[in-house]
Amino acid sequence: MARQDRLRRISQAHDRRRQGRGIRLWRKLAIWVLYPRTDRGFWYGFAIDVLWPVLMAVARWDFRGGDRIPTKGGALLAVNHLSHVDPIVLVAYTLAQGRVPRFLAMKELWGQTVVGAPLRGGRHIPVDRGKSGIEAYRAAVEAVQRGEVVVVYPEGGFATHSDGWPRAARTGIARMALETGAPVIPVAQWGSNHLLPPTSSRPTLVPRPTLRVLAGPPVALDDLREGRIGRTAMHEATERIMGRITEQLAVLRGEEPPARPEPHEQPVQAGDLQPPAVS
């Protein structure tokens, strides 16, 4: 625990610097020395240790709000989705707070040689897009209940042509939150879309992009857990979660977000539990 406390102090001290400034190199190296190396599985841990220095080399990091990530216990991180590199950035951000994140990902990825090994060994959660998604939902709930930090992209993917503001979301994370009672931490990120634009297969290294991540306080959902958890409660919870993610993103971008469309009710579908194309 003392190691985690030290790690979090070093990581969170960056919050005192002016927004937009990158984490100092010595701080990133200290985080690399102290971040968790247990409970990762061999191949997931190997991928982390290989990609960490690569990510340090190709981009600046501006990670803030890490004190909102619980030191222990189950939690859901609700994150906006911009690029294929997003999961790598979120792994770095979460490890900097002493927690090992788990992701939902397409079941097809489990069979791939390079990506499949870290997914299988890292206790990530496969989602079969051709089925109802109930197995993935139950696995995610169980992961949260046993104390895991589970990362969810409520948008279910990212658009290749977009203004970068969050799009319509699925209700899967709201349903998980209302059932488990776990805190939902709204997390916004910006800059991964500059490092690896959605329309490109090659990273943009010049100018060197800044990967910015900001977590906000847990979303207030306790009032929606009273009584039966129905469609209305899930859609209201989803609206709150996405609204909070958008607020954090507005801080990172220094812009006013566009007006959100009025929410409309629709039935919960298997797609509500589907992850982004790569996680």
Side-chain angles (χ1 to χ4, degrees):
M1 197 64 182
R3 184 186 181 98
Q4 185 190 41
D5 291 342
R6 186 181 179 192
L7 170 63
R8 289 173 69 95
R9 284 198 303 271
I10 291 172
S11 176
Q12 294 167 19
H14 172 72
D15 285 30
R16 295 195 291 266
R17 302 194 77 197
R18 180 170 57 84
Q19 285 197 49
R21 299 288 299 274
I23 296 177
R24 295 183 184 278
L25 178 59
W26 74 265
R27 200 178 299 279
K28 288 194 286 188
L29 291 172
I31 294 170
W32 176 72
V33 170
L34 293 170
Y35 69 54
R37 285 175 167 78
T38 59
D39 198 33
R40 306 185 308 182
F42 176 79
W43 288 112
Y44 185 29
F46 179 78
I48 290 170
D49 293 339
V50 168
L51 292 173
W52 185 278
V54 174
L55 198 63
M56 280 201 306
V58 301
R60 299 180 181 89
W61 301 0
D62 184 19
F63 294 172
R64 299 177 184 273
D67 59 314
R68 275 72 182 257
I69 308 299
T71 57
K72 60 182 179 179
L76 291 159
L77 303 190
V79 193
N80 64 316
H81 203 10
L82 301 166
S83 164
H84 286 300
V85 80
D86 289 348
I88 300 173
V89 178
L90 258 294
V91 167
Y93 180 79
T94 311
L95 282 175
Q97 305 309 320
R99 302 300 304 270
V100 179
R102 314 296 175 185
F103 291 82
L104 283 84
M106 294 186 305
K107 185 177 181 180
E108 293 83 351
L109 296 176
W110 262 247
Q112 295 187 8
T113 303
V114 176
V115 179
L119 290 173
R120 290 190 298 270
R123 293 210 308 275
H124 300 288
I125 301 165
V127 180
D128 189 339
R129 289 176 180 253
K131 296 185 178 179
S132 67
I134 192 63
E135 291 183 2
Y137 172 79
R138 288 173 177 166
V141 167
E142 290 172 2
V144 172
Q145 290 175 335
R146 68 171 175 262
E148 302 275 18
V149 171
V150 177
V151 178
V152 181
Y153 297 95
E155 298 163 274
F158 58 86
T160 54
H161 294 86
S162 168
D163 60 3
W165 293 105
R167 301 174 298 121
R170 292 161 173 161
T171 59
I173 188 171
R175 187 176 179 184
M176 294 175 204
L178 295 177
E179 178 172 339
T180 64
V184 178
I185 312 301
V187 181
Q189 59 179 348
W190 188 248
S192 59
N193 50 321
H194 301 147
L195 175 60
L196 185 63
T199 56
S200 176
S201 60
R202 296 182 180 181
T204 301
L205 304 179
V206 180
R208 194 164 171 241
T210 299
L211 303 173
R212 306 185 63 189
V213 184
L214 174 64
V219 182
L221 299 174
D222 286 346
D223 60 309
L224 300 177
R225 296 188 178 103
E226 299 173 359
R228 179 178 176 274
I229 300 174
R231 185 191 310 169
T232 300
M234 285 192 288
H235 279 283
E236 172 61 24
T238 303
E239 286 297 311
R240 293 185 192 181
I241 292 167
M242 297 310 297
R244 293 291 306 284
I245 294 174
T246 302
E247 289 174 7
Q248 305 308 312
L249 183 58
V251 173
L252 293 183
R253 295 178 61 167
E255 303 173 18
E256 286 293 324
R260 289 176 58 80
E262 289 296 321
H264 58 281
E265 291 190 2
Q266 50 185 303
V268 179
Q269 300 175 351
D272 289 338
L273 302 179
Q274 289 179 355
V278 176
S279 293

